[in-house]
Amino acid sequence: MNLAKFTLFYIAYALILGGVASMLPSFFPGQTVLVPKFWLVFGFLGGITFIAYVVVYLGMKRNPETGIMAIMGSIALKMLFSMAFVLIYSLKSKENGLVFVLNFFSLYLLFSFFEIYCLLCNLRHQNK
């Protein structure tokens, strides 16, 4: 999967996730489903996931033998930046922690699943 195709699929996936997230409060009236700065969390995770994929894609194109190191480095950097974001966000905001944890980790997992699926498509193509 080339970078242009990934970008189109990624934008479509992010729009679908954003649409589902914007409809969640109407399905659960009276409940706090999203944190007040949900779109900041969404944008951060969407951006860091896109950057991580681009880094891995370029690393695999440059030297296919070190593709695994690029993947592992990308995952590690994504996790470190995410932990720093959680720390800064939790220090700045004094709101319901359980809602934030559910929002953050659900988005983290959904974006990571999409990234891993696209990376596996590249690895399958490379093995043929």
Side-chain angles (χ1 to χ4, degrees):
M1 180 180 300
N2 61 12
L3 202 52
K5 189 175 180 181
F6 170 77
T7 303
L8 287 175
F9 285 151
Y10 189 71
I11 290 171
Y13 183 73
L15 288 174
I16 291 169
L17 279 181
V20 169
S22 65
M23 292 186 328
L24 274 178
S26 64
F27 289 131
F28 301 101
Q31 298 284 332
T32 304
V33 180
L34 302 176
V35 291
K37 295 187 179 181
F38 174 79
W39 297 110
L40 174 70
V41 176
F42 186 88
F44 172 78
L45 287 173
I48 197 78
T49 302
F50 184 78
I51 291 169
Y53 181 84
V54 170
V55 166
V56 169
Y57 180 80
L58 295 176
M60 285 174 38
K61 285 290 183 190
R62 181 176 290 170
N63 189 359
E65 287 93 28
T66 61
I68 290 295
M69 293 303 287
I71 292 170
M72 298 303 283
S74 170
I75 290 170
L77 284 175
K78 183 178 170 185
M79 189 179 300
L80 285 173
F81 280 117
S82 295
M83 287 191 298
F85 180 83
V86 168
L87 177 66
I88 292 168
Y89 187 89
S90 62
L91 289 176
K92 294 280 183 183
S93 142
K94 304 294 182 205
E95 55 198 38
N96 191 352
L98 180 63
V99 174
F100 173 71
V101 167
L102 290 174
N103 287 178
F104 183 84
F105 284 111
S106 63
L107 286 174
Y108 184 88
L109 288 174
L110 288 170
F111 279 120
S112 294
F113 288 153
F114 185 78
E115 177 189 10
I116 290 169
Y117 174 76
C118 292
L119 287 172
L120 287 175
C121 288
N122 283 345
L123 290 176
R124 275 190 226 123
H125 177 66
Q126 192 177 33
N127 287 337
K128 288 184 179 180

